[in-house]
Amino acid sequence: MATESVLQEHRIVVGLDYGTTYSGTAHGDTSQKSIDNIKVIRRWPGKERRDEVKCPSDIAYGADGTYRWGYLIPPGLARLAWAKLDLDEDNFYENQEENSEEYVDLQDPFSETPEPAEDEFPMAEGMRYNPLNKSPVDVVADYLTALYDVIMSNLRRAQGENFINRTAIDWVMTVPAVWSEKAQALTKEAASRAGIGQREKDRLFLLSEPEAAAVYAISELYQRDNTRRNDPNMLNVGDTFVLCDAGGGTVDLISYKVGQLQPSLGLSEVAVGSGAKCGSTFVDRNLLKLVRRKIGDDRFQILCQKQDGMVLNKMVSEFEGVKRSFGSSYLPGSVSYLPMHGFANDPAAGIIEGQFELTHDDLKECFDPIMEQIIELIQGQIDAICDTGSIPKYVFLVGGFGESDYLLSRLSTHKFGRAGQIEIINPDDAWSAVSRGAVLRGLEGSLVTNRRCRRNYGTRINTVFDPTIHHDEDAFYSTDTGMKMARNQVSWIVEKGADTDSNTRFKLKCGTTFQKGEKLRRGATLVASDLDLAPHSYRDKSVHDLCFLMADLSMVPESEFDSVNINGQACLSAEFTIEMAFESAEIKFQLYFKDNCYGQVKTTFH
């Protein structure tokens, strides 16, 4: 992120937390970097009260292409919910069709037909209403366009139109740490389409949600309460902690070690981050499974279709309040009711006077599978810290789902293996921690000095055949040397768990020959694997094509290349390097030839 260096120019920083169920935003400026000077937007179209720090992420399309969003959507109206998760579909590892006239791939193509991905959200039509069949990027861009207008309107109202028009804005948009590289790129594309970061001096950056939350959580403790600085029970240099960001769609975790507290906070990742799609919307999914099991398939189908899904939407909307109130004070024997109009009484199925009955045990059935997933994720981070010889001091719990009393009580009483019971800290303003932390990140630069690579990155190669390693079907003989070789192997450039600080560059070295007069454009496919121990074969099921990198050296004069003779024909050769730099939530690729940088490499994700 360009904000690593101290910015001399006065700038506004906007933190944008586009969430699965709710979205929020905060802002500050470079003249006042204190956490107390960060302002959270609380004025939302369609909302009379002005104390909500977030707005629903739903969007509702009309047949004419117009749409409503957030609080402007009437209760029960069919809408498209959870559009954010559509950016990270499971079937994006399909092989890209390559146009050989535009480039020559440095590796031979090898493809398998992927198995069709299971529908991630087989939800009722009224919750996934997309009458125009818009793509995920189009949907998210529409929502972000409306959100961008609200943010700019709030900024102009607070600081004046002339001031905002002449002041540059850094937009720090957060994404889940478990987001795929393609999902990161699609998020940035949607934001750009919405106009975010597109004014002349504006800039757009991506930041992982748990990193933003960690920056806020620690800053909130030490900046707002000076008495904590000398408290031996607070975090000190060398201490470790787990940050759990539990949102609507995803739960992200990163573990940090405190490197310094003064003059500014310094953190380093102590374990590879983890996470899963097990946020609060999956409690909603469990509710629908429960309803379907109790009332039967036929009535559930009617419920999904009744009044174009409005009855079901109203039911799920009312469940939001039940979710928030469910906790340690919710006693066994307590009963909640959700609206379910238009169905005859059937107490055995839980239908009573137009309402659906939810017992204490029913709610536990909705919550507990998700609780177990979150506990398992936290346990994994704690085990990784314990393996380094340290015991985490705290688990910081943030995010909208992080404010659940039930989740907090479950974690507070749980014994985490070798670490035992760990104190859970739920900071003030936990729901807006991500957007506030994004602003702090933009104002102060990176507070995380070292990160751990989340997966293995490499490229396909041919290598000398080794019968103890390679498969016979990959064997071939080189026409140049006559040696027995193995195709479909992988050379790993970056291994999972490697330190990826901002100054480290990982290099993909490439070489090619070409004819005189030919414009030099070459492509290489970057592959990845999430396994802890990277496999050597491209055929391994964990290895997938990640993205296609286009290296364009057409602007380099022919005199810079080396002359070679191939089969009696005078040709040119070039050796160049594609450098990878890992930031919080994206990878930057730059092209180098003879120590000169030729800009960013065009990247197409699979």
Side-chain angles (χ1 to χ4, degrees), residues 3 7 9-16 25-30 148 151-153 155-156 159 161 163-172 195-205 442:
T3 50
L7 297 172
E9 180 186 11
H10 178 76
R11 305 179 75 87
I12 293 172
V13 177
V14 175
L16 203 167
T25 181
H27 58 88
D29 63 70
T30 52
Y148 175 68
I151 296 170
M152 295 301 293
S153 176
L155 289 175
R156 292 188 181 104
Q159 302 189 47
E161 185 167 357
F163 177 80
I164 295 302
N165 287 343
R166 68 173 185 266
T167 304
I169 301 177
D170 282 345
W171 297 83
V172 184
I196 297 172
Q198 300 307 297
R199 299 191 313 167
E200 183 178 357
K201 291 186 178 182
D202 290 3
R203 300 180 296 185
L204 171 61
F205 308 108

Side-chain angles (χ1 to χ4, degrees), residues 208-421:
S208 79
E209 290 169 1
E211 182 172 326
V215 169
Y216 172 77
I218 304 301
S219 298
E220 195 272 337
L221 284 177
Y222 285 94
Q223 285 192 29
R224 286 191 173 166
D225 189 350
N226 292 330
T227 62
R228 296 178 184 260
R229 294 182 184 274
N230 299 319
D231 186 344
N233 293 320
M234 292 307 298
L235 286 171
N236 296 300
V237 173
D239 286 344
T240 57
F241 66 92
V242 178
L243 189 289
C244 177
D245 176 21
T250 59
V251 175
D252 287 317
L253 300 97
I254 298 184
S255 297
Y256 292 101
K257 182 177 181 178
V258 180
Q260 66 179 44
L261 292 171
Q262 296 294 332
S264 61
L265 178 65
L267 304 173
S268 61
E269 290 185 16
V270 72
V272 176
S274 59
K277 294 176 182 176
C278 56
S280 63
T281 58
F282 292 85
V283 179
D284 297 346
R285 288 188 67 180
N286 288 342
L287 169 71
L288 295 187
K289 292 177 183 177
L290 172 73
V291 173
R292 184 172 189 167
R293 177 174 58 81
K294 282 197 164 187
I295 70 175
D297 290 345
D298 292 341
R299 277 188 294 199
F300 185 78
Q301 186 67 25
I302 295 171
L303 174 64
C304 292
Q305 298 173 351
K306 202 171 187 62
Q307 297 182 28
D308 294 328
M310 291 180 66
V311 174
L312 179 65
N313 285 339
K314 182 67 174 175
M315 186 180 192
V316 174
S317 177
E318 290 292 325
F319 183 59
E320 186 67 26
V322 176
K323 279 194 304 182
R324 294 190 183 191
S325 63
F326 184 57
S328 56
S329 61
Y330 200 95
L331 301 177
S334 301
V335 178
S336 299
Y337 294 94
L338 301 177
M340 193 173 170
H341 306 302
F343 289 87
N345 281 352
D346 185 352
I351 306 174
I352 302 172
E353 300 295 334
Q355 298 184 95
F356 182 78
E357 181 182 65
L358 275 176
T359 67
H360 182 270
D361 288 341
D362 289 337
L363 285 171
K364 282 178 61 64
E365 184 178 332
C366 295
F367 270 86
D368 282 348
I370 308 303
M371 299 297 102
E372 296 302 323
Q373 283 184 269
I374 295 174
I375 288 172
E376 184 178 355
L377 287 169
I378 295 175
Q379 184 68 66
Q381 288 291 304
I382 290 173
D383 287 344
I385 293 176
C386 290
D387 288 342
T388 68
S390 179
I391 300 292
K393 204 165 191 177
Y394 300 110
V395 173
F396 287 91
L397 182 62
V398 301
F401 198 22
E403 293 192 338
S404 163
D405 287 340
Y406 188 63
L407 176 57
L408 181 61
S409 65
R410 285 290 305 269
L411 296 180
S412 297
T413 57
H414 186 80
K415 292 185 178 180
F416 290 97
R418 288 174 283 174
Q421 202 164 319

Side-chain angles (χ1 to χ4, degrees), residues 58 78-82 123-129 312-313 316:
D58 299 350
R79 81 279 309 279
L80 182 53
W82 315 316
M123 304 300 290
E125 181 180 350
M127 298 296 293
R128 303 288 295 155
Y129 186 61
L312 179 65
N313 285 339
V316 174

